[in-house]
Amino acid sequence: MEIKIGSDTFLKGVQKVQGVVENKGAMPILSHLLISAGGDGITLMATDLEIGIRGFYPAKVIKEGAVTLNARKLFDILKELPVKEVRLVKEENDWVTLTCGKSRFRLPGLPAADYPKLPEYSETCLLEFTGSQLRDMIKKTVFAISPDETRQALNGLLLEVEQGKVNLVGTDGHRLALIKRPAGKSNGASADPNGYLLPKKVLSELMKSVGEDDATYKFSVKDNQLAFIQDQEVIISRKVDGKFPNYRQVIPGDCTLQVKVNKEDLAHALKRVALLADEKSKMVRFEIRSGNLILISDNTELGAAREEMAIDYDGDEVTIGLNARYVLDVLSAVEGDQVVLNLKDENHSCLITADSDADYLSIVMPMRL
Amino acid sequence: MNSPQNIFSRQPQGSRSPSAEDPVARAASTREILHVDLDAFFASVEQMRDPSLKGKPVIVGGDPDGRGVVAAASYEARKFGIHSAMPTARAKRLCPHAVFVRGSHALYSEISSRFFEILETYTPLVEAMSLDEGYLDLTGCARLHGGPAEKTAVRIRHYIEQELGICASIGMGTNKLIAKIASGLAKPNGFLRVPPGEERNFLKPQLIGRIPGIGPKGGEQLNRLGIKTIGQLTMLPLEELEKNFGEWGRRLYFRSRGECDSPVQAREESAKSISRETTLEEDSLDRPYLIAMLSYLTEKAAAQLREEGLYARTVTLKLRFSDFKTITRSRTFKESASEDHILFEAISKLFAIAHMDRIPVRLVGVSLTGLTTERQTQLDLFQPTAPERWNRLYKGIDRLRSKYGFDTVLRANSKLARSTADLAVGRRRAKNRQERA
């Protein structure tokens, strides 16, 4: 195998795939990525056996062939190289020589034949997203998923098709975020009514590779394999097992109190008051009174903080304890100047909506005071 | 200067007003502190329960043929040199005709709470030190009680004997240290008052072991320096004591002069930790048995936690091995808890990862710390009523236990421990003691 490729193109490709590589796994080859040269370019591929990622990049192929290299080392080398042409040659015993200008590196490769195959995936498009839409949807829901890896079903986002819309839902059991967007060109009718659980790692890889552009991303499903395909790049993942909880039944429909509040003002005040909230629970008390909202953290060893802000409200008085981090996560995701806190009482969930986007909502469960 | 909370309408619970701690304000008036101590408490209760035991050496503790220790000995038994914490087997050798009783802690707790109820009729400022001793602050109560504090003390003693059938000894002084030492000298069934200004003269001839905080080891160290009495201890300059004994030495300096400004803290100012531990009848490597013991101890500690309306942030597992090496392992929760199942899950996880090295375990213990009166429970989206339901369950369990006895309802795990357990589960309550002496 012998190729010539621009160092910037090569770096971009390696950067996109190296995120899935396991650096400390039991199988050494999984810390490698696969480079296959053929036709008018190279295919880069990496997998951790759960998810796989593959991309094609134009290059001058002098001699076809394939080899695997340590992804991290290759990435570190490419990062330090000037923007110039790189020459990559596979020699005997899978040693690889990389030259660029006056720099020369020799890297021990592993046989390409030993590299795990990517699972089969479908090219049949089930749903279609634009890059910016996909990015926006993930960004506005991914913060709500659980970091607890023992709760698999809550460890990813639920993607489902419902009445011409595509929904993305995340929850950790204490809060939830749901976004609905019109489904583009789709075969929604053939979608699984239970939806699909997208693993966290797929989401972080998508966030890395999806640009703000209007490139088209196709979502496809085959057996247990989900795939996001964009032109010559594909991310494949095993479907997450487990049943996503019935989120529809926890979306409150009986919130009698609506508190309109300026988003930026609330975010700044909450950040300040949360500085003295209990380190673990992060609870801040929201005292909602006619015309003003008082944020309080006290009863902690750290001291106490309090801040008052004017709000557009003249309903019943209510005091509710909320985890400041949960609320701040929502405030940084939602667009527009105003948010609405929809409440019933101090024991029921707080539904956060924005007039600017009727198809995006978040729910935060209170803390019992 | 105002403390930061004062600007807010809601004061954090449990915060004391700054003046209560102010030593300057306290020094301005002479305090009148009583230390009330029930004589040979467990043994006296047994003698009261079974009058045929009166006048006989009675020893409360584990099986005299087993490995327990003496929890209490009547004065008749003490004449044979028996004292608490001595192995029961040794006590039996010293006094073979003594009556050995296993002890009934439920009864002791009941009498103990009646004891403190009596004390609290004289002043709200009662600090419980253990089941059978407490401090009273009677400063400024003379008019209320219709006479000087020493008269009140005599009345308290009679009233306790009349109501509980147990004798109490009372020491009185200008601070807790003097009162405590005085009650020790007044025993049994006596009263001793140290008038203000007489503290140093009173302490001078006493042996240093009378000072709380000087145990056998510390006493030995001081004896080696030629110091036997408290008077001799006052000859040592502060620097030398600090140099030799650090912080402890500094405390000795002030204590030997009868100085102590620690306030009497009323009961509401809750315990800093709640713990239960027990020395096993026999050293054991049997994990199911050990986990059963831990389950029982957790239930006991959690029951007290709930009784006091508290929640714990941290649970600690304590294991002492047969070679006396002791390890503790802790876990801190995200949200404080008072439920048996949450606390025990943490304890059993800690136990599972504790390194045992195949050395038999001698003692197991559970302690709950980071206690708060309030807790913030993050409600779950999908099970919003779960905390309520657990709450109701534990309220029910606690009610059943208060009515029919603790063992009425037990975790299945604890059952195994109850079939073999030593009744004398040590009850220890570390008080939030701020000794600035």
Side-chain angles (χ1 to χ4, degrees):
Chain A
M1 184 186 94
E2 185 177 348
I3 56 163
K4 282 181 179 166
I5 184 169
S7 64
D8 48 344
T9 313
F10 202 10
L11 175 64
K12 197 179 98 193
V14 171
Q15 186 170 22
K16 278 191 179 179
V17 301
Q18 67 109 16
V20 304
V21 167
E22 293 276 352
N23 280 313
K24 286 185 247 72
M27 291 168 66
I29 202 160
L30 290 183
S31 63
H32 284 218
L33 56 76
L34 176 70
I35 307 168
S36 335
D40 51 2
I42 57 168
T43 302
L44 297 177
M45 183 193 126
T47 180
D48 66 353
L49 301 179
E50 291 284 310
I51 85 166
I53 186 162
R54 198 180 67 191
F56 180 84
Y57 302 90
K60 202 167 150 196
V61 177
I62 296 156
K63 194 177 164 199
E64 293 192 346
V67 71
T68 79
L69 283 177
N70 182 292
R72 186 76 226 176
K73 279 285 169 245
L74 181 60
F75 177 62
D76 289 344
I77 291 168
L78 293 173
K79 256 194 325 195
E80 298 302 328
L81 289 181
V83 182
K84 260 190 184 169
E85 194 179 63
V86 171
R87 183 163 164 267
L88 198 74
V89 183
K90 182 174 94 167
E91 290 152 12
E92 277 184 24
N93 295 327
D94 292 298
W95 277 87
V96 173
T97 303
L98 186 154
T99 42
C100 176
K102 290 189 168 25
S103 313
R104 184 164 182 273
F105 302 87
R106 261 171 63 78
L107 299 165
L110 286 168
D114 294 351
Y115 204 76
K117 299 275 170 292
L118 269 198
E120 276 184 46
Y121 62 95
S122 165
E123 291 280 356
T124 315
C125 170
L126 191 69
L127 287 168
E128 210 173 84
F129 300 90
T130 63
S132 53
Q133 184 194 18
L134 188 58
R135 193 181 179 81
D136 185 52
M137 289 181 77
I138 295 173
K139 204 181 80 189
K140 286 179 175 169
T141 48
V142 73
F143 61 82
I145 70 179
S146 173
D148 180 356
E149 291 184 3
T150 58
R151 302 177 78 180
Q152 254 202 336
L154 303 186
N155 219 218
L157 289 175
L158 178 75
L159 173 73
E160 59 174 18
V161 186
E162 178 195 38
Q163 296 165 352
K165 294 209 166 162
V166 45
N167 301 346
L168 212 51
V169 198
T171 179
D172 63 2
H174 297 147
R175 35 114 170 238
L176 178 146
L178 162 65
I179 191 165
K180 301 182 178 199
R181 289 292 180 255
K185 196 182 95 185
S186 77
N187 296 310
S190 58
D192 183 341
N194 291 324
Y196 307 96
L197 273 167
L198 310 178
K200 200 158 132 189
K201 210 165 173 184
V202 168
L203 299 166
S204 56
E205 289 310 315
L206 278 171
M207 287 302 274
K208 249 189 267 170
S209 63
V210 176
E212 292 288 358
D213 52 32
D214 284 333
T216 304
Y217 285 81
K218 292 190 286 183
F219 173 69
S220 81
V221 179
K222 183 179 183 185
D223 302 329
N224 256 339
Q225 300 298 333
L226 312 175
F228 283 92
I229 307 158
Q230 192 262 317
D231 195 21
Q232 304 261 36
E233 291 173 21
V234 60
I235 299 175
I236 306 165
S237 157
R238 221 167 45 82
K239 231 192 301 189
V240 176
D241 292 329
K243 193 167 161 20
F244 198 79
N246 181 356
Y247 73 89
R248 287 187 178 84
Q249 74 177 19
V250 302
I251 299 173
D254 55 351
C255 293
T256 44
L257 313 173
Q258 264 84 34
V259 185
K260 276 198 181 141
V261 47
N262 180 287
K263 186 185 78 177
E264 289 300 317
D265 291 352
L266 178 59
H268 288 305
L270 194 50
K271 270 182 201 159
R272 285 188 286 265
V273 173
L275 291 174
L276 295 187
D278 182 273
E279 293 283 1
K280 288 208 165 163
S281 76
K282 281 284 167 208
M283 189 191 80
V284 168
R285 220 163 60 237
F286 286 59
E287 292 190 1
I288 296 159
R289 304 287 177 259
S290 183
N292 73 51
L293 165 66
I294 309 152
L295 303 175
I296 296 174
S297 53
D298 64 6
N299 202 13
T300 73
E301 286 157 13
L302 301 166
R306 181 186 202 270
E307 184 151 343
E308 239 179 277
M309 56 190 292
I311 50 168
D312 175 11
Y313 181 75
D314 60 356
D316 292 346
E317 294 191 349
V318 61
T319 298
I320 188 168
L322 296 170
N323 181 321
R325 198 166 56 82
Y326 293 173
V327 178
L328 285 168
D329 282 345
V330 176
L331 296 180
S332 65
V334 73
E335 280 162 34
D337 296 336
Q338 270 207 330
V339 291
V340 187
L341 310 178
N342 304 268
L343 301 164
K344 188 177 172 196
D345 59 34
E346 70 275 13
N347 290 319
H348 287 83
S349 57
C350 170
L351 172 71
I352 307 176
T353 54
D355 291 339
S356 59
D357 186 350
D359 279 331
Y360 176 47
L361 63 85
S362 294
I363 303 170
V364 176
M365 275 308 269
M367 310 194 71
R368 215 167 45 170
L369 297 172
Chain B
M1 208 179 78
N2 268 337
S3 71
Q5 290 100 343
N6 287 352
I7 54 172
F8 299 153
S9 52
R10 231 176 88 115
Q11 275 222 358
Q13 282 195 6
S15 72
R16 242 172 301 126
S17 67
S19 62
E21 268 184 31
D22 187 353
V24 180
R26 285 200 166 273
S29 64
T30 306
R31 293 191 292 158
E32 292 178 317
I33 310 292
L34 301 189
H35 180 255
V36 186
D37 196 349
L38 296 175
D39 296 337
F41 178 50
F42 295 170
S44 300
V45 173
E46 295 301 335
Q47 286 175 329
M48 179 200 65
R49 181 158 71 162
D50 178 0
S52 76
L53 296 179
K54 282 218 168 114
K56 289 184 187 161
V58 176
I59 292 168
V60 180
D63 182 357
D65 301 316
R67 324 170 6 107
V69 293
V70 174
S74 71
Y75 279 92
E76 295 80 5
R78 290 185 196 190
K79 287 186 195 135
F80 294 90
I82 294 162
H83 54 80
S84 43
M86 169 188 282
T88 40
R90 188 148 155 245
K92 191 169 183 186
R93 280 201 302 279
L94 287 170
C95 182
H97 63 287
V99 183
F100 285 85
V101 191
R102 280 299 280 271
S104 44
H105 273 262
L107 182 63
Y108 304 155
S109 307
E110 193 193 314
I111 290 177
S112 171
S113 33
R114 274 165 56 201
F115 168 57
F116 285 107
E117 273 167 28
I118 291 171
L119 298 184
E120 277 163 3
T121 58
Y122 292 90
T123 168
L125 277 179
V126 175
E127 178 175 348
M129 296 310 291
S130 66
L131 284 177
D132 59 347
E133 59 172 315
Y135 291 105
L136 275 72
D137 190 339
L138 294 183
T139 311
C141 291
R143 270 177 67 188
L144 178 70
H145 294 148
E150 52 267 35
K151 288 257 168 62
T152 310
V154 173
R155 288 214 312 273
I156 292 175
R157 243 165 38 79
H158 289 307
Y159 193 54
I160 289 171
E161 191 174 350
Q162 196 184 321
E163 284 294 303
L164 303 180
I166 295 175
C167 296
S169 297
I170 299 185
M172 178 175 166
T174 51
N175 61 47
K176 280 159 72 171
L177 173 71
I178 295 296
K180 165 99 183 168
I181 295 173
S183 79
L185 288 166
K187 274 181 174 301
N189 195 14
F191 170 66
L192 180 62
R193 170 173 178 260
V194 180
E198 287 299 309
E199 291 85 0
R200 284 191 69 165
N201 285 336
F202 162 68
L203 290 178
K204 216 169 167 181
Q206 305 297 339
L207 294 176
I208 45 169
R210 288 274 173 196
I211 296 183
I214 301 188
K217 267 192 194 155
E220 204 179 294
Q221 273 177 301
L222 289 166
N223 283 341
R224 253 183 270 133
L225 295 174
I227 293 166
K228 294 215 160 55
T229 65
I230 300 175
Q232 287 168 332
L233 185 54
T234 55
M235 313 279 208
L236 291 181
L238 179 59
E239 300 76 48
E240 194 167 328
L241 278 166
E242 271 193 319
K243 201 178 78 197
N244 283 307
F245 304 111
E247 177 57 32
W248 183 64
R250 186 184 161 76
R251 256 182 276 156
L252 287 185
Y253 178 84
F254 291 105
R255 286 189 188 176
S256 63
R257 283 159 177 72
E259 289 171 29
C260 164
D261 56 8
S262 158
V264 173
Q265 293 183 356
R267 273 226 263 201
E268 291 77 44
E269 296 190 28
S270 59
K272 214 173 190 175
S273 74
I274 291 177
S275 43
R276 287 289 185 280
E277 57 183 53
T278 189
T279 303
L280 304 173
E281 288 271 307
E282 249 174 80
D283 293 356
S284 173
L285 267 171
D286 178 3
R287 293 188 85 100
Y289 170 66
L290 294 173
I291 204 84
M293 272 328 280
L294 287 168
S295 166
Y296 185 71
L297 295 172
T298 307
E299 279 194 276
K300 279 292 221 183
Q304 192 195 337
L305 188 71
R306 292 193 298 270
E307 189 187 318
E308 299 191 12
L310 296 170
Y311 303 94
R313 197 68 181 278
T314 304
V315 292
T316 304
L317 163 76
K318 178 173 170 184
L319 296 176
R320 177 170 296 147
F321 298 100
S322 57
D323 58 1
F324 275 86
K325 194 187 138 202
T326 307
I327 60 167
T328 56
R329 298 285 179 267
S330 306
R331 207 192 127 156
T332 298
F333 300 113
K334 203 167 166 205
E335 286 169 12
S336 46
S338 69
E339 292 87 351
D340 300 349
H341 68 282
I342 298 175
L343 300 173
F344 178 65
E345 192 198 347
I347 283 288
S348 62
K349 276 188 183 154
L350 289 169
F351 180 70
I353 56 170
H355 194 53
M356 307 235 310
D357 258 349
R358 305 284 316 150
I359 302 172
V361 176
R362 180 187 162 83
L363 170 147
V364 289
V366 170
S367 93
L368 308 175
T369 49
L371 306 184
T372 57
T373 49
E374 286 182 29
R375 83 153 144 193
Q376 301 148 354
T377 314
Q378 172 67 62
L379 299 177
D380 193 282
L381 263 171
F382 304 101
Q383 294 160 338
T385 59
E388 282 301 330
R389 292 209 311 270
W390 284 115
N391 217 353
R392 279 209 304 276
L393 172 68
Y394 284 106
K395 280 220 170 87
I397 291 176
D398 293 341
R399 258 202 317 275
L400 278 173
R401 283 174 171 169
S402 70
K403 205 163 172 186
Y404 300 109
F406 190 84
D407 289 358
T408 314
V409 191
L410 284 180
R411 296 174 61 81
N413 253 324
S414 305
K415 252 342 244 186
L416 175 62
R418 290 316 291 151
S419 47
T420 45
D422 185 356
L423 254 174
V425 168
R427 174 169 165 136
R428 199 156 51 88
R429 205 167 114 163
K431 290 294 291 188
N432 179 1
R433 225 182 307 171
Q434 290 174 325
E435 280 171 319
R436 282 169 294 137

